[in-house]
């Protein structure tokens, strides 16, 4: 067909149909043009229109706009649109009015929301006030029930009755030799509530004062000035004291002259009742010049007594005053270990005058048991001791003649040989020191025997006293069998066997107890005078004055910044750590000593318990700590009303329970010019249960910034100003600390609330120990033969750092007032080691190691300034501290332990109806 069309074109355009080809061609051209035109219209015209629509409205002249929006009036020109315009305007006005009303309602809603929040806060405050009132009522009811149960209503102090100055109606005993407290002491001058006032005569006002030894008189006057019981008002005094010795030989007054001067004392009152005559001895040859003087009803305190002169329970045997005006040098005192020394025992002395030897006097057994004077066993003692020395079974040194001139002594007394330094060197090499009492049995104690006892205790030689009739110093209040061996002279042949049979543990215990007795009652003039007063006060049953507390000088500061809650500190899961106290801070009960036997003996029983508890420095006649009875008697089985209800799960979490069901603790935080770190640490304490208050020890001379805003953590924050920058300030017994439990914590230590509460509960089970988190230990350096301080991770420890530890306030008193001053001076010198010193003290007293809780070994404080412990010299100084402390104590008191307390279920999430208790491992 194509070929046919092509043929037709070539043949002149005539096809089979006969139509001309021109018409067909023209019709095709029209179709093509029509298609092109439509294409142009459909494609280019919309493009051109779009261009004009997008550009024509940009003209400045509004009248030239073709497609721009028209104004409302123009649109409204159309009649049928006017109604719609009016409707639109009306709707617009109504919408504007509705919008205004909506905004007004929103503002009213916001105000109502604020009022609702204020009402909610008011309700919460009212609930808190109501809860506080309920707690106060509950506390009042609890106290009332306790008082009713104890039947001890509060009583006002009795009116003190003072006797007349010239009271001569006091009944006389048949003989001054029979003087005892009941017939020679006027109790009316010493009421129980008097406080035991003591008046001390000035010896310089009397002629015999010029004959006194200058050193003794000076030491005595210095001690009197600082004693808490001394008063200048003689009219209210309970006891009057006069110092009459030691006197110097050339100017010593005659006995009759001294007697007249004593009887002329303004408050002697004819017979000297309630007077104490003190005759101190600094030398072994001090004479007993009071023996020939009529002292009436006055008590006598001296180192030499005859049996016709000594009145048991009335007179006092005192120790010699060797260190009159000097403190003992602890570095010169030998260590207490090794237990056994070169010589098993030693003795040096010479007897100037003796009785007839028992070896020469023939006496029958019947004569001896009939009460006749006993034989002089000194010859038998000499023979036996020489035989032991010659046997060479043990190294012993006995010398019965002095190489140089012996010291002056009383008849039948063994005189001292050589100088004091030479005697001490021999005693340092002796395990035991023999003390042979005078052969005259009428001489119950002599200054020479007392001097031998003093020197033996000073250097750690265990005294072996031959002669059971001897009256050792302070024998009615000190149990000498815990520090010395008192053996009858007839047992001299058994002495060697007895000394050999004593174990090393017993030897160390006796040596340690002897060291304690020497430090507490013998070493200084202040100790001797305080002990004499304490004995008299204890005899007449007057309670001791409470030991002084450190007065806290508060630094004013502004509080008000709401403390936030650190999620890391408060993330306890479903574990209820205990109620945050809404009642006023509850202080631990203060036992200022009532007058019953039980309260007076609570701490005495602990002090006299067998074993290492002997070392507690507070004996029955020492100053009483305000909370002492509570501390030592917490485990006696006494259960206050409302306590010990037990419980598990939720009940256990909500209350402390135990023997002391109501108790809080005080946080003591030491800081030095790190305000930001301090504020962060204080904020972390917000919401901590059982927190009584926070005492911030500001150790810097520069006061805090005036614009510093302290956080409000719900409990008082006391900022205490210190006199100087000293790490010892951490352990001062501040009067603001009203709880027995103290949490000592550094300002950069991070502890969670659950960790603190767990440590508090553990401490309540071991109140006499340090309970804390970071553990350390000591080790013996064999090459250098010295002790080292080690902070590496270990399964064994011997110290718990007090940068995060609980301890009893009792130890704050001991650290600040009883512990040797040399240790505190070392802490100030290095600005280091106060935590080691506290561990030494507690381990020395209790003979127990500290308790570590949780697995924490260190504390990280991101962003904190560099601490002292980061210094390179920190560990070298701590090595030196440990070795110095060992020298002061005489031995290493720290004890190792592998015991650590962890709570297995402390943070285990269990339902409240299930048991959830602490388990210690």
């Amino acid at each position: 067909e194509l070929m046919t069309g092509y043929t037709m074109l070539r043949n002149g355009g005539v096809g089979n149909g006969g139509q001309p080809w021109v018409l067909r061609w023209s019709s095709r051209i029209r179709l093509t043009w029509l298609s092109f035109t439509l294409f142009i219209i459909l494609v280019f015209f919309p493009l051109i229109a779009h261009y004009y629509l997008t550009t024509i409205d940009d003209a400045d002249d509004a009248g030239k706009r073709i497609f721009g929006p028209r104004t409302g009036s123009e649109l409204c020109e159309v009649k049928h649109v006017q109604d719609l315009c009016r409707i639109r305007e009306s709707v617009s006005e109504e919408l504007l009015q509705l919008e205004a009303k909506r905004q007004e309602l929103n503002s009213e809603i916001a105000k109502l929301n604020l009022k609702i929040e204020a009402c909610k806060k008011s309700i919460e405050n009212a609930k808190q006030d109501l809860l506080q009132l309920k707690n106060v009522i509950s506390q009042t009811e609890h106290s009332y029930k306790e008082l009713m149960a104890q039947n001890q209503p509060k009583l006002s102090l009795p009116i003190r009755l003072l006797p007349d100055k010239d009271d001569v109606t006091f009944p006389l005993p048949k003989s001054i030799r029979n003087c005892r407290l009941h017939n020679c002491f006027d109790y009316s001058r010493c009421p129980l509530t008097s406080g035991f006032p003591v008046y001390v005569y000035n010896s310089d006002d009397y002629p015999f004062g010029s004959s006194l030894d200058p050193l003794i008189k000076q030491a005595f006057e210095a001690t009197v000035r600082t004693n808490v019981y001394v008063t200048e008002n003689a009219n209210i005094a309970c006891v009057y004291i006069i110092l009459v010795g030691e006197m110097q030989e050339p100017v010593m007054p005659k006995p009759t002259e001294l007697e007249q001067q004593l009887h002329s004392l303004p408050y002697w009152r004819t017979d000297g009742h309630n007077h104490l005559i003190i005759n101190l001895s600094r030398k072994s040859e001090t004479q007993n010049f009071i023996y020939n003087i009529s002292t009436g009803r006055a008590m006598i305190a001296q180192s030499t007594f005859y049996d016709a002169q000594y009145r048991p329970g009335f007179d006092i045997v005192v120790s010699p005053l060797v260190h009159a005006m000097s403190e003992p040098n602890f570095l010169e005192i030998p260590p207490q270990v090794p237990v056994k020394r070169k010589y098993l025992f030693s003795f040096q002395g010479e007897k100037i005058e003796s009785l007839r030897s028992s070896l020469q006097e023939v006496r029958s057994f019947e004569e001896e048991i009939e009460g006749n004077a006993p034989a002089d066993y000194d010859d038998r003692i000499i023979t036996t001791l020489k035989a032991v020395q010659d046997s060479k079974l043990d190294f012993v040194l006995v010398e019965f003649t002095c190489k140089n001139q012996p010291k002056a002594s009383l008849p039948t007394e063994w005189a001292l040989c050589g100088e004091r330094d030479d005697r001490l060197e021999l005693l340092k090499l002796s395990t035991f020191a023999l003390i042979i009492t005078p052969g005259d049995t009428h001489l119950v104690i002599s200054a020479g025997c007392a001097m031998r006892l003093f020197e033996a205790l000073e250097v750690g030689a265990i005294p072996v006293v031959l002669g059971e009739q001897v009256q050792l110093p302070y024998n009615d209040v000190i149990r000498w069998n815990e520090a010395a061996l008192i053996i009858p002279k007839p047992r001299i042949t058994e002495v060697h066997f007895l000394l050999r049979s004593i174990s090393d543990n017993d030897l160390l215990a006796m040596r340690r107890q002897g060291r304690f007795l020497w430090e507490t009652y013998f070493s200084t003039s202040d100790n001797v005078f305080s002990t004499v007063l304490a004995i008299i006060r204890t005899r007449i049953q007057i309670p001791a004055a409470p030991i002084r507390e450190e007065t806290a000088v508060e630094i004013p500061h502004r509080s008000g910044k709401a403390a936030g809650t650190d999620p890391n500190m408060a993330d306890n899961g479903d574990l209820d750590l205990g109620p945050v106290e809404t009642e006023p801070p509850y202080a631990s009960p203060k036992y200022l000593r009532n007058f019953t036997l039980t309260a007076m003996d609570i701490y005495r029983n602990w002090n006299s318990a067998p074993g290492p508890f002997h070392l507690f420095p507070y004996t029955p006649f020492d100053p009483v700590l305000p909370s002492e009875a509570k501390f030592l008697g917490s485990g006696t089985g006494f259960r206050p009303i409302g306590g010990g209800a037990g419980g598990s799960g939720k009940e256990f979490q909500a209350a402390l329970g135990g023997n002391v069901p109501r108790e809080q603790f005080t946080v003591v935080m030491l800081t030095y010019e790190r305000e930001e770190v301090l504020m962060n640490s204080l904020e972390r304490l917000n919401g901590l249960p059982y927190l009584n208050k926070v005492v911030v020890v500001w150790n810097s001379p520069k006061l805090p910034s005036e614009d510093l805003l302290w956080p409000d953590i719900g409990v008082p924050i006391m900022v205490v100003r210190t006199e100087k920058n000293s790490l010892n300030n951490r352990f001062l017994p501040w009067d603001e600390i009203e709880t027995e439990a103290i949490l000592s914590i550094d300002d950069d230590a991070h502890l969670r609330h659950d960790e603190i509460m767990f440590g508090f509960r553990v401490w309540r089970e071991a109140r006499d120990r340090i309970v804390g988190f970071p553990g350390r230990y000591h080790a013996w350096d064999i090459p250098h033969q010295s002790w080292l301080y080690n902070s590496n991770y270990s399964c064994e420890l011997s110290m718990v750092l007090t940068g995060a530890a609980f301890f009893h306030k009792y130890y704050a008193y001991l650290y600040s007032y009883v512990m040797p001053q040399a240790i505190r001076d070392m802490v100030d010198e290095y600005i280091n080691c106060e935590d080691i010193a506290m561990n030494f003290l507690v381990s020395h007293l209790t003979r127990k190691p500290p308790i570590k809780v949780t697995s924490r070994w260190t504390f990280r404080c991101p962003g904190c300034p560099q601490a002292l412990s980061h210094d390179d010299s920190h560990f070298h100084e701590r090595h030196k501290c440990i070795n110095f402390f060992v020298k002061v104590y005489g031995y290493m008191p720290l004890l190792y332990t592998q015991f650590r307390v962890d709570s297995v279920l402390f943070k285990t999430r269990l339902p409240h109806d299930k048991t959830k208790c602490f388990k210690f491992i």
Side-chain angles (χ1 to χ4, degrees):
E1 204 176 69
L2 290 175
M3 289 298 298
T4 303
Y6 177 72
T7 305
M8 290 176 62
L9 289 175
R10 294 188 59 180
N11 291 332
V14 181
N16 295 332
Q19 294 180 357
W21 63 275
V22 176
L23 293 175
R24 295 179 180 177
W25 181 79
S26 60
S27 62
R28 291 180 179 177
I29 290 176
R30 284 195 297 273
L31 291 172
T32 302
W33 175 252
L34 181 60
S35 300
F36 180 76
T37 303
L38 291 173
F39 176 78
I40 294 298
I41 292 172
L42 294 175
V43 175
F44 287 97
F45 182 80
L47 294 175
I48 294 172
H50 180 268
Y51 172 76
Y52 275 97
L53 290 173
T54 56
T55 59
I56 195 169
D57 288 337
D58 295 336
D60 296 334
D61 189 358
K64 295 180 181 180
R65 291 181 297 180
I66 299 175
F67 301 100
R70 302 287 180 176
T71 63
S73 59
E74 291 176 345
L75 295 175
C76 292
E77 291 178 357
V78 184
K79 186 177 181 179
H80 65 275
V81 181
Q82 292 180 354
D83 294 338
L84 298 177
C85 291
R86 286 195 298 271
I87 293 173
R88 190 191 68 175
E89 292 176 356
S90 175
V91 171
S92 298
E93 291 179 359
E94 290 181 359
L95 291 176
L96 292 175
Q97 293 176 0
L98 291 175
E99 178 65 22
K101 290 182 179 180
R102 187 183 68 84
Q103 293 180 358
E104 182 179 357
L105 291 175
N106 286 336
S107 62
E108 292 180 359
I109 291 173
K111 294 179 181 179
L112 292 175
N113 288 332
L114 293 177
K115 291 182 179 180
I116 292 173
E117 293 297 327
C119 292
K120 288 182 178 180
K121 290 183 179 179
S122 300
I123 293 174
E124 291 297 327
N125 293 335
K127 289 182 178 179
Q128 294 293 334
D129 294 340
L130 179 61
L131 180 60
Q132 184 174 356
L133 290 175
K134 289 182 178 179
N135 289 332
V136 172
I137 294 173
S138 176
Q139 178 180 351
T140 305
E141 292 178 349
H142 181 80
S143 302
Y144 175 75
K145 290 179 180 179
E146 286 185 346
L147 290 175
M148 293 300 295
Q150 298 173 6
N151 194 21
Q152 292 180 354
K154 293 184 179 180
L155 301 176
S156 59
L157 296 179
I159 300 176
R160 183 177 180 184
L161 301 177
L162 293 178
D164 296 334
K165 182 177 180 181
D166 298 327
D167 184 11
V168 295
T169 61
F170 200 58
L172 294 172
K174 295 181 179 180
S175 172
I176 299 300
R177 178 70 178 83
N178 298 326
C179 258
R180 299 295 185 270
L181 289 176
H182 69 276
N183 57 7
C184 287
F185 190 85
D186 185 5
Y187 280 91
S188 65
R189 301 200 63 87
C190 307
L192 292 175
T193 58
S194 64
F196 190 60
V198 174
Y199 179 80
V200 180
Y201 292 99
N202 186 2
S203 300
D204 291 335
D205 295 340
Y206 306 96
F208 64 83
S210 59
S211 304
L212 295 176
D213 186 305
L215 288 179
I216 288 184
K217 183 168 66 173
Q218 185 178 359
F220 182 78
E221 292 174 352
T223 300
V224 167
R225 285 193 297 267
T226 59
N227 194 275
V228 66
Y229 297 107
V230 174
T231 180
E232 296 181 357
N233 187 356
N235 294 324
I236 65 171
C238 169
V239 175
Y240 301 84
I241 297 179
I242 182 65
L243 177 68
V244 298
E246 179 177 56
M247 290 191 177
Q248 297 173 321
E249 290 289 343
V251 292
M252 180 182 298
K254 296 180 179 179
T256 54
E257 296 176 355
L258 180 59
E259 180 177 328
Q260 292 177 358
Q261 295 175 24
L262 289 177
H263 292 182
S264 64
L265 293 175
Y267 305 100
W268 187 260
R269 298 186 181 91
T270 69
D271 58 3
H273 61 270
N274 289 45
H275 275 65
L276 173 66
I277 301 174
I278 298 181
N279 178 23
L280 298 176
S281 59
R282 194 168 61 89
K283 304 174 184 178
S284 62
E285 58 269 23
T286 301
Q287 300 297 319
N288 184 13
F289 60 89
I290 302 182
Y291 182 74
N292 297 319
I293 294 177
S294 174
T295 57
R297 288 192 173 99
M299 297 174 286
I300 300 175
Q302 61 180 9
S303 300
T304 302
F305 279 103
Y306 286 96
D307 58 356
Q309 177 189 18
Y310 180 67
R311 296 163 292 185
F314 193 75
D315 294 326
I316 302 175
V317 180
V318 300
S319 62
L321 188 60
V322 178
H323 300 287
M325 291 300 297
S326 62
E327 294 289 335
N329 188 353
F330 291 99
L331 299 181
E332 296 180 356
I333 300 176
Q336 299 185 32
V337 291
V339 176
K340 294 182 178 178
R341 300 175 177 177
K342 178 180 179 180
Y343 299 111
L344 177 64
F345 61 83
S346 65
F347 177 82
Q348 285 182 326
E350 182 173 342
K351 198 169 185 180
I352 307 301
E353 180 181 353
S354 64
L355 300 175
R356 287 186 303 166
S357 173
S358 62
L359 298 179
Q360 299 175 356
E361 182 180 5
V362 179
R363 306 178 66 214
S364 65
F365 176 76
E366 290 78 5
E367 291 176 335
E368 293 189 4
I369 66 174
E370 287 177 356
N372 296 328
D376 185 4
Y377 287 95
D378 289 354
D379 290 345
R380 186 182 301 176
I381 292 174
I382 294 174
T383 303
T384 303
L385 295 181
K386 284 185 176 181
V388 174
Q389 184 178 24
D390 296 339
S391 67
K392 298 183 180 180
L393 295 175
D394 290 292
F395 285 105
V396 299
L397 191 150
V398 290
E399 295 178 352
F400 299 105
T401 56
C402 298
K403 298 178 181 178
N404 300 320
Q405 182 67 26
K407 303 295 181 181
S409 61
L410 297 176
T412 74
E413 181 186 17
W414 288 90
L416 294 171
C417 295
E419 299 298 328
R420 167 177 159 81
D421 293 338
D422 298 332
R423 297 194 300 271
L424 292 180
E425 290 300 321
L426 174 60
L427 292 174
K428 291 178 182 179
L429 301 176
S430 306
T431 305
F432 296 95
L434 295 184
I435 301 175
I436 306 176
T437 59
D440 185 1
T441 57
H442 298 292
L443 186 61
V444 295
I445 185 64
S446 65
C449 286
M451 184 65 69
R452 290 182 183 272
L453 179 67
F454 181 95
E455 293 176 352
L457 295 176
E458 181 178 6
V459 296
I462 301 174
V464 180
V465 182
L466 296 178
E468 78 284 2
Q469 80 283 355
V470 68
Q471 299 291 331
L472 295 181
Y474 321 125
N475 62 318
D476 53 347
V477 292
I478 291 181
R479 291 173 293 275
W480 279 106
N481 60 342
E482 297 175 354
L485 295 174
I486 303 176
I487 304 173
K489 287 185 178 181
R491 293 192 180 276
I492 183 59
T493 58
E494 301 173 320
V495 167
H496 186 208
F497 168 79
L498 178 61
L499 300 185
R500 288 284 301 270
S501 64
I502 300 177
S503 65
D504 290 354
N505 290 336
D506 291 339
L507 289 177
L508 182 58
M510 296 181 70
R511 182 174 295 164
R512 192 166 56 238
Q513 179 68 4
R515 172 74 175 270
F516 158 69
L517 295 177
W518 179 80
E519 290 181 359
T520 307
Y521 310 117
F522 291 74
S523 57
T524 64
S525 59
D526 182 68
N527 291 341
V528 172
F529 184 68
S530 299
T531 303
V532 170
L533 293 186
I535 290 176
I536 299 175
R537 180 185 50 75
T538 304
R539 287 176 177 176
I540 61 178
Q541 301 175 341
I542 294 182
I547 194 169
R548 69 181 180 92
E549 294 186 301
E550 204 70 22
T551 303
V553 180
E554 184 178 7
I555 299 177
H557 60 281
R558 292 189 304 157
S559 300
K561 182 176 67 172
T565 302
D566 190 339
N568 296 325
M569 299 294 108
D571 183 18
N572 302 312
D574 62 347
L575 182 61
D576 185 7
L577 298 179
V580 178
E581 300 297 335
T582 57
E583 62 178 308
Y586 177 73
S588 299
K590 289 185 177 180
Y591 291 82
L592 297 179
R593 183 74 69 78
N594 57 18
F595 304 100
T596 61
L597 181 64
T598 304
M600 296 181 65
D601 284 344
I602 285 178
Y603 66 100
R604 181 188 302 182
N605 292 335
W606 193 0
N607 191 34
S608 62
F613 289 103
H614 309 208
L615 298 177
F616 272 84
Y618 284 97
T619 60
F621 44 89
D622 282 309
V624 178
L625 304 183
S627 57
E628 178 181 349
K630 178 67 171 296
F631 170 41
L632 301 178
S634 60
T636 59
F638 171 73
R639 177 170 293 175
I641 296 175
S648 60
K650 191 172 183 179
E651 293 82 3
F652 177 77
Q653 299 170 14
L656 288 175
N659 294 321
V660 189
R662 299 184 64 222
E663 187 170 20
Q664 296 177 344
F665 62 90
T666 302
V667 168
V668 176
M669 187 177 296
L670 187 73
T671 187
Y672 185 90
E673 296 184 1
R674 297 199 295 185
E675 295 181 352
E676 182 179 357
V677 176
L678 175 64
M679 296 301 107
N680 293 334
S681 297
L682 292 175
E683 288 188 4
R684 285 192 293 269
L685 299 176
N686 184 36
L688 182 61
Y690 305 111
L691 178 59
N692 181 274
K693 71 174 60 171
V694 178
V695 176
V696 177
V697 181
W698 191 264
N699 224 21
S700 170
K702 180 181 177 182
L703 296 180
S705 304
E706 295 182 358
D707 57 348
L708 182 63
L709 195 60
W710 295 70
D712 183 5
I713 61 175
V715 298
I717 297 178
M718 173 70 65
V719 186
V720 178
R721 185 174 185 176
T722 58
E723 295 181 356
K724 64 176 182 178
N725 177 21
S726 172
L727 294 180
N728 293 316
N729 296 332
R730 178 195 297 271
F731 302 125
L732 283 174
W734 303 103
D735 56 359
E736 289 295 333
I737 302 176
E738 299 178 319
T739 61
E740 297 178 10
I742 296 177
L743 173 58
S744 174
I745 189 170
D746 289 337
D747 58 1
D748 57 356
H750 283 219
L751 286 175
R752 299 193 310 270
H753 287 187
D754 62 288
E755 292 176 321
I756 295 177
M757 287 310 305
F758 179 63
F760 181 48
R761 288 184 178 270
V762 174
W763 176 85
R764 284 164 45 84
E765 301 293 331
R767 306 171 73 90
D768 60 332
R769 300 164 78 173
I770 299 177
V771 176
F773 299 87
R776 300 293 185 266
Y777 67 96
H778 67 289
W780 179 250
D781 183 9
I782 297 178
H784 298 89
Q785 293 294 296
S786 62
W787 294 101
L788 296 177
Y789 170 85
N790 203 313
S791 63
N792 296 330
Y793 289 92
S794 172
C795 296
E796 202 169 55
L797 60 98
S798 59
M799 292 175 282
V800 166
L801 302 187
T802 55
F806 285 93
F807 64 90
H808 200 284
K809 189 181 179 182
Y810 181 81
Y811 295 122
Y813 296 99
L814 301 186
Y815 183 98
S816 302
Y817 304 141
V818 177
M819 188 179 69
Q821 180 64 37
I823 296 180
R824 294 190 292 271
D825 293 341
M826 185 79 167
V827 171
D828 287 336
E829 178 182 355
Y830 284 147
I831 316 180
N832 199 343
C833 307
E834 85 286 356
D835 46 2
I836 302 178
M838 177 59 82
N839 278 270
F840 265 69
L841 174 66
V842 176
S843 295
H844 170 65
L845 297 178
T846 63
R847 303 306 301 137
K848 296 179 183 179
I851 297 178
K852 173 176 169 52
V853 294
T854 75
S855 59
R856 276 184 178 263
W857 202 262
T858 58
F859 298 93
R860 297 179 180 178
C861 181
C864 293
Q866 187 174 12
L868 294 174
S869 58
H870 295 163
D871 192 353
D872 294 337
S873 62
H874 176 74
F875 286 95
H876 297 289
E877 293 173 351
R878 294 173 87 79
H879 299 329
K880 295 179 181 178
C881 287
I882 285 185
N883 287 280
F884 179 78
F885 296 165
V886 169
K887 290 182 180 179
V888 173
Y889 282 98
Y891 74 111
M892 168 54 75
L894 298 179
L895 299 173
Y896 293 107
T897 180
Q898 299 176 2
F899 177 77
R900 191 184 81 196
V901 181
D902 285 323
S903 179
V904 177
L905 298 179
F906 188 70
K907 297 201 68 176
T908 303
R909 289 171 172 80
L910 296 176
H912 285 300
D913 57 346
K914 302 296 183 180
T915 300
K916 183 184 294 184
C917 299
F918 297 119
K919 294 185 181 294
F920 300 153
I921 62 172

